[in-house]
């Protein structure tokens, strides 16, 4: 009776009883699915666990016979680490954690890596805990210019993960010429083939510098009004194809973009396979930023956090990360270690800036809360969405 | 007697239970009061249950309709009325401070004026694009449905299957796939270049600057593609129901095929077109995926703005105001449409 074989069964291949049994089985499968997912979510719980939620493609993975940093760390420390890549956009992530942290509840990750200005906001709001720096011997390896930075004046809440620069990324097959200036992004020849980042400070930073505004000391919205007008006009004219986050890479490679505002490490990682993708720090200047590790308020796994910080601030380990992600390392002595693995990379001014490149890199002043809100509103009204 | 008033009691219990659920869902009260509301809800439902169990057959007969309505109505109370209540309430609230998660209800109508003044363009585009897409789905979907229904023969089910098969892939993937197909160095643009048709397409305003992707045409095209089956299937159903003898009869009376279609087939298929229009236009007007992946910063639709205000700018009041306006205007349009074109029976 279980297997209908006669032709009459074709009309009603499942008997009522079978149907009930099978839908029951489905129901059980459905009920256990969330449990399975929760089990995969991992993190939290055990005292010796660590959940680090970072930006995508921001660490050396275990592949091609190399053991990635996360696996090396778990091996060396015995910490059960979960590394996730769901930090895609500062504002989006903030919107996600705000209802929890704002209500005094804790979020799952023990460590996140917001960009410096977002870290500054979280510190001001009191939504992060002090890092267990007294248990981290390698803090002495922090590069001098990141000691007590403007976004974290006491230096107790954040440790940089990686730093880098926003400049111009371009596909020379489409542009047909080398680019070197932010003004090139507004060249009518590239109409509809220019991409901009949704990261306000990077996009506006380049435009402001090309207009001669000093972003290291900017303090009011009026100083930036001209730059916002230029962006608004470029958008209205159809010069700009899209405002994107991390996903600008695909459009650049496929040739939909001639040029865009991009991040140094992304383009360098890409350059290995696609030599037609180039990156330049514009002659008017590029922005210097850092993504910094902070502990959301209420984190319990502070010992594991301390072990992780100690691990990634060991120059030998940091060199592995740098040689993969190709961003600026905030750790002293990395260049010497990278030279041992990849001497060519150690000489690349876009990974280890020389004096000439460094002189063109500027980092944003700390904007006051009100001014920051004005900038954010003006920018979001242009990016449209 | 209690049992003779069972119908009134059933109605009252239903209303009280619905209000309780809205109160719980929309968070009218805090803390301990919620427990009280829950208690009221359980007592009311339990009371009706007791009445039905011990009130005799007459009471059960009177209670039955309300009992049958209960699952649907209570579901709607919790998952439709309560959220709408919250939405409208937040749309009239202000935030305590920029990063606050507290919204204070202050009759803040300026959220609505901001929704119109800052996002008027997005509203217009949402309605314009979805209107064009709806018309295109009729133009494309009707003939296909017609052929499947009248000429499909034994391939009917196969052809219908082909229409539905793309739906086995995620909506997002299908839309992103179009961005590869329409890319500047993708197959379609290359083909147009080879045949020198780019100028024609630019003259038709389908292409801009030699590109097809990230143009209004791409957004409308994406909407049309994604919603086509929602138009095609209802039309197919209404065409399929038509008795072929009616067409034969028209032919016997010396009607031309065109006249037979115009006077017999088309009027009978109107319910399908009507249902398809609703199924296409309503979701298309609120869509943000197509404009996100196939559009440019000048083609954003209201869905993109709502998503941005909710998920990135954290501006729940303005986002709620926009959602409310969208909901109300779509409802108004649908009511008008039903009034003028609607039919009694939907396919």
């Amino acid at each position: 009776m279980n297997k209908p074989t006669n032709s009459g069964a074709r009309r009603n291949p499942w008997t009522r009883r079978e149907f009930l049994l099978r839908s029951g089985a489905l129901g059980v499968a459905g009920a256990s699915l969330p449990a399975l997912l929760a089990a995969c979510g991992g993190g939290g719980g055990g005292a010796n666990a660590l959940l680090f939620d970072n930006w995508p493609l921001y660490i050396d993975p275990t592949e091609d016979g190399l053991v990635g940093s996360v696996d090396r760390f778990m091996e060396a420390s015995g910490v059960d680490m979960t590394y996730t890549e769901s930090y895609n956009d500062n504002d989006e992530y903030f919107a996600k954690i705000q209802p929890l942290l704002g209500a005094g509840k804790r979020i799952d990750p023990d460590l996140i890596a917001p960009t410096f200005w977002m870290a500054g906001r979280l510190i001001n709001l009191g939504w992060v805990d002090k890092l267990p720096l007294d248990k981290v011997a390698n803090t002495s390896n922090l590069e001098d210019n990141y000691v007590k930075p403007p976004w974290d004046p006491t230096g107790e809440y954040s440790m940089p993960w990686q730093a880098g620069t926003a400049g111009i990324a371009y596909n020379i097959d489409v542009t047909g010429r080398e680019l070197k200036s932010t003004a090139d992004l507004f060249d009518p020849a590239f109409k509809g083939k220019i991409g901009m980042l949704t990261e306000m400070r990077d996009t506006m930073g380049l435009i402001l510098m090309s207009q001669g505004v000093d972003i290291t000391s900017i303090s009011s919205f009026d100083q930036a009004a001209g730059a916002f007008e230029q962006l608004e006009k470029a958008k209205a004219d159809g010069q700009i194809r899209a405002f994107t986050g991390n996903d600008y890479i695909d459009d650049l490679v496929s040739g939909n973009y001639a040029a865009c505002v991009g991040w140094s490490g992304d383009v360098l990682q890409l350059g290995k396979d696609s030599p037609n993708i180039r990156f330049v720090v514009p002659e008017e200047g590029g922005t210097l930023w850092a993504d910094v590790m902070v502990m959301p308020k209420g984190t319990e796994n502070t010992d594991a956090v301390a072990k992780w910080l100690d691990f990634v601030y060991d120059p030998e380990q940091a060199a592995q990360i740098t040689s993969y992600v190709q961003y600026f390392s905030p750790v002293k002595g990395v260049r010497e270690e990278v030279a041992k693995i990849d001497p060519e990379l150690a000489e690349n001014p876009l990974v280890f800036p020389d004096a000439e490149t460094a002189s063109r890199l500027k980092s944003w002043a700390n904007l006051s809360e009100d001014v920051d809100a004005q900038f954010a509103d003006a920018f979001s009204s242009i990016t449209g969405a | 007697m209690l049992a003779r008033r069972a119908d009134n009691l059933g109605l009252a219990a239903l209303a009280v239970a619905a209000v309780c659920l809205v109160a719980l869902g929309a968070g009218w009260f805090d803390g301990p009061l919620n427990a009280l509301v829950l208690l009221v809800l359980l007592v009311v439902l339990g009371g009706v249950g007791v009445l039905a169990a011990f009130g005799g057959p007459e009471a059960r007969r009177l209670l039955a309709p309300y009992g049958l309505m209960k699952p649907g109505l209570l579901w709607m109370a919790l998952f439709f009325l309560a959220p709408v209540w919250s939405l409208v309430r937040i749309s009239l609230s202000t935030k305590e401070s920029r990063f606050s998660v507290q919204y204070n209800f202050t009759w803040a109508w300026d959220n609505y004026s901001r929704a119109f003044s800052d996002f008027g363009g997005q509203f217009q585009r949402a309605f314009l694009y979805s209107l064009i897409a709806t018309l295109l789905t009729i133009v494309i979907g009707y003939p296909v449905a017609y052929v499947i229904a009248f000429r499909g023969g034994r391939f009917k089910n196969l052809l219908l299957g082909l229409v539905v098969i793309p739906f086995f892939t995620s909506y997002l993937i299908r839309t992103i796939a179009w961005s590869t197909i329409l890319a500047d160095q993708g197959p379609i643009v290359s083909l147009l270049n080879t045949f020198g048709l780019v100028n024609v397409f630019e003259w038709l305003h389908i292409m801009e600057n030699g590109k097809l992707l990230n143009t209004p045409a791409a957004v409308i095209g994406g909407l049309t593609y994604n919603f086509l089956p929602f138009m095609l299937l209802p039309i197919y159903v209404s065409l399929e129901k038509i008795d072929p003898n009616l067409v034969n009869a028209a032919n016997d009376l010396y009607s031309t095929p065109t006249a037979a279609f115009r006077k017999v087939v088309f009027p009978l298929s109107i319910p399908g077109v009507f249902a398809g229009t609703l199924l296409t236009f309503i979701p298309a007007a609120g869509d943000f995926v197509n404009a996100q992946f196939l559009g440019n910063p000048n083609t954003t639709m209201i869905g993109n703005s709502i998503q941005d205000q909710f998920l990135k700018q954290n501006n729940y009041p303005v986002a709620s105001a926009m959602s409310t306006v969208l909901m109300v205007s779509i409802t108004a349009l649908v009511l008008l449409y039903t009034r003028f074109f609607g039919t009694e029976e939907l396919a």
Side-chain angles (χ1 to χ4, degrees):
Chain A
M1 161 202 153
N2 275 335
K3 283 188 185 167
T5 44
N6 57 356
S7 62
R10 211 182 132 257
R11 207 166 255 288
N12 187 9
W14 284 12
T15 62
R16 196 174 102 94
R17 183 179 166 151
E18 270 180 310
F19 175 77
L20 288 173
L21 275 174
R22 288 182 201 183
S23 46
L26 262 181
V28 170
S32 55
L33 193 63
L36 266 175
L37 286 175
C40 295
N48 207 25
L50 175 65
L51 174 53
F52 183 13
D53 201 2
N54 204 351
W55 297 76
L57 301 176
Y58 216 16
I59 197 166
D60 51 320
T62 299
E63 63 176 23
D64 302 334
L66 295 172
V67 182
S69 288
V70 172
D71 288 331
R72 276 182 283 123
F73 170 69
M74 291 207 284
E75 181 70 37
S77 66
V79 171
D80 178 17
M81 181 170 184
T82 310
Y83 183 88
T84 51
E85 299 189 329
S86 56
Y87 202 107
N88 244 314
D89 179 294
N90 282 306
D91 291 315
E92 225 171 80
Y93 204 82
F94 183 78
K96 200 161 77 175
I97 62 178
Q98 183 189 22
L100 290 167
L101 290 174
K105 293 176 192 146
R106 63 169 299 242
I107 59 171
D108 285 340
D110 301 305
L111 207 56
I112 53 176
T115 305
F116 69 98
W117 58 270
M118 180 55 78
R121 180 192 288 180
L122 295 174
I123 294 168
N124 280 338
L125 288 168
W127 291 0
V128 289
D129 281 333
K130 285 182 185 170
L131 293 172
L133 295 179
D134 50 331
K135 294 182 202 152
V136 184
N138 282 336
T139 44
S140 55
N141 290 334
L142 179 63
E143 284 278 5
D144 297 336
N145 49 334
Y146 297 115
V147 175
K148 301 190 178 170
W151 62 85
D152 180 14
T154 63
E156 292 170 298
Y157 292 94
S158 71
M159 289 283 272
W161 168 248
Q162 300 289 308
T165 173
I168 296 171
Y170 60 100
N171 185 334
I172 196 156
D173 291 350
V174 183
T175 59
R177 65 180 172 96
E178 299 279 356
L179 304 186
K180 47 185 204 259
S181 153
T182 302
D184 289 327
L185 295 176
F186 296 92
D187 182 342
F190 305 141
K191 188 175 172 190
K193 287 186 160 291
I194 296 296
M196 297 272 182
L197 292 173
T198 46
E199 185 70 27
M200 187 275 286
R201 279 171 178 74
D202 289 330
T203 296
M204 292 313 297
L206 293 194
I207 301 175
L208 282 164
M209 282 188 263
S210 74
Q211 294 192 347
V213 180
D214 180 14
I215 61 165
T216 60
S217 66
I218 194 164
S219 60
S220 80
F221 181 74
D222 293 343
Q223 291 166 278
F228 278 107
E229 268 165 38
Q230 188 178 359
L231 185 66
E232 170 80 66
K233 186 171 177 305
K235 176 208 151 190
D237 290 349
Q239 179 79 6
I240 297 169
R241 184 163 194 141
F243 289 93
T244 62
N246 262 307
D247 39 344
Y248 65 94
I249 291 291
D250 297 333
D251 283 316
L252 193 61
V253 175
S254 68
N256 288 336
Y257 285 168
C260 63
V261 182
W263 290 305
S264 54
D266 283 359
V267 184
L268 294 178
Q269 282 176 45
L270 205 69
K272 289 180 199 161
D273 301 323
S274 341
N276 54 331
I277 306 298
R278 312 268 171 97
F279 182 85
V280 64
V281 177
E283 54 192 12
E284 303 98 320
T287 59
L288 180 65
W289 47 259
D291 292 330
V292 303
M293 292 180 277
V294 294
M295 278 192 332
K297 195 154 196 68
T299 301
E300 281 157 12
N301 302 323
T302 51
D303 284 343
V305 170
K307 285 181 192 163
W308 170 252
L309 292 177
D310 213 34
F311 182 81
V312 294
Y313 269 82
D314 174 352
E316 205 180 317
Q317 304 298 344
Q320 298 285 337
I321 301 173
T322 302
S323 61
Y324 181 82
V325 303
Q326 309 200 18
Y327 279 106
F328 302 170
S329 178
V331 184
K332 280 181 190 167
V334 163
R335 187 168 189 174
E336 290 72 20
E337 291 294 332
V338 168
K340 291 182 200 164
I341 317 170
D342 185 351
E344 205 181 316
L345 190 67
E347 295 307 316
N348 189 333
L350 291 173
V351 182
F352 298 99
D354 51 20
E356 193 276 326
T357 310
S359 71
R360 279 186 283 149
L361 300 178
K362 299 280 189 298
S363 46
W364 273 78
N366 234 6
L367 297 179
S368 74
E369 194 52 63
D370 293 343
V371 177
D372 181 60
Q374 280 179 302
F375 272 76
D377 284 350
F379 191 69
S380 80
S381 78
I382 295 174
T383 55
Chain B
M1 261 312 282
L2 213 56
R4 221 171 297 150
R5 292 288 181 82
D7 53 346
N8 292 350
L9 279 172
L11 182 62
L14 196 59
V16 172
V19 172
C20 285
L21 276 176
V22 174
L24 288 173
W28 285 359
F29 311 111
D30 316 312
L33 268 177
N34 274 328
L36 187 68
V37 176
L38 192 64
L39 192 70
V40 172
L41 178 68
L42 292 175
V43 166
V44 166
L45 291 180
V48 179
V50 168
L51 185 62
F54 301 106
E58 175 65 8
R60 272 198 286 281
R61 190 183 63 78
L62 289 170
L63 276 177
Y66 304 104
L68 293 173
M69 273 169 74
K70 218 169 269 160
L73 205 88
L74 296 188
W75 178 274
M76 291 294 269
L78 187 59
F79 294 109
F80 178 71
L81 289 180
V84 167
W85 175 277
S86 300
L87 186 79
V88 173
R89 195 179 155 83
I90 291 179
S91 75
L92 291 169
S93 301
T94 42
K95 283 200 279 188
E96 267 176 12
S97 63
R98 185 174 171 216
F99 302 126
S100 164
V101 284
Q102 289 298 318
Y103 303 100
N104 297 326
F105 184 70
T106 55
W107 293 106
W109 291 103
D110 58 313
N111 289 330
Y112 282 88
S113 55
R114 245 204 90 187
F116 282 112
S117 63
D118 293 5
F119 301 101
Q122 278 86 343
F123 272 114
Q124 281 173 20
R125 279 194 292 271
F127 288 121
L128 181 68
Y129 291 176
S130 45
L131 182 70
I132 299 177
T134 307
L135 293 176
L136 283 174
T137 53
I138 298 178
V139 171
I140 299 170
Y142 199 102
V144 178
Y146 185 90
V147 169
I148 298 178
F150 290 115
R151 305 276 185 274
R154 61 201 177 89
F155 296 113
K156 250 182 207 174
N157 288 335
L158 177 72
L159 292 171
L160 276 182
L162 290 177
V163 170
V164 179
I165 274 181
F167 270 62
F168 293 176
T169 317
S170 132
Y171 180 48
L172 207 57
I173 304 266
R174 276 180 285 133
T175 310
I176 294 174
W178 274 107
S179 71
T180 312
I181 299 170
L182 299 177
D184 291 9
Q185 296 175 352
I188 296 186
V189 176
S190 314
L191 203 68
L192 292 175
N193 272 317
T194 316
F195 291 104
L197 288 171
V198 170
N199 287 333
V200 180
F201 274 66
E202 287 196 354
W203 181 74
L204 289 169
H205 291 284
I206 291 175
M207 289 177 85
E208 281 174 2
N209 264 316
K211 64 190 169 77
L212 200 52
L213 184 62
N214 306 112
T215 60
V219 179
I220 295 170
L223 289 171
T224 308
Y225 165 76
N226 278 312
F227 290 105
L228 185 60
F230 291 104
M231 180 64 79
L232 198 153
L233 294 176
I235 294 181
Y236 167 79
V237 170
S238 63
L239 286 175
E240 225 266 331
K241 281 194 306 193
I242 298 176
D243 186 347
N245 288 327
L246 291 177
V247 183
N248 291 339
N251 291 338
D252 288 347
L253 295 169
Y254 299 102
S255 153
T256 62
T258 325
F261 174 79
R262 201 160 44 82
K263 298 217 156 161
V264 177
V265 177
F266 185 69
L268 287 172
S269 70
I270 282 182
V273 177
F274 180 77
T277 320
L278 295 186
L279 289 177
T280 304
F281 181 78
I282 297 173
D287 184 80
F288 65 91
V289 172
N290 288 284
Q292 166 85 39
F293 291 105
L294 307 175
N296 67 44
N298 294 319
T299 64
T300 49
M301 293 164 66
I302 195 64
N304 301 80
S305 305
I306 293 174
Q307 190 231 16
D308 186 60
Q309 291 293 324
F310 263 126
L311 298 184
K312 285 186 102 177
Q313 312 302 331
N314 266 304
N315 200 343
Y316 280 35
V318 168
S320 307
M322 285 194 282
S323 306
T324 311
V325 171
L326 181 66
M327 209 160 62
V328 170
S329 37
I330 287 181
T331 312
L333 280 175
V334 168
L335 287 180
L336 271 178
Y337 182 67
T338 319
R339 182 93 179 69
F340 289 112
F341 301 97
T343 48
E344 289 297 307
E345 34 160 347
L346 290 184

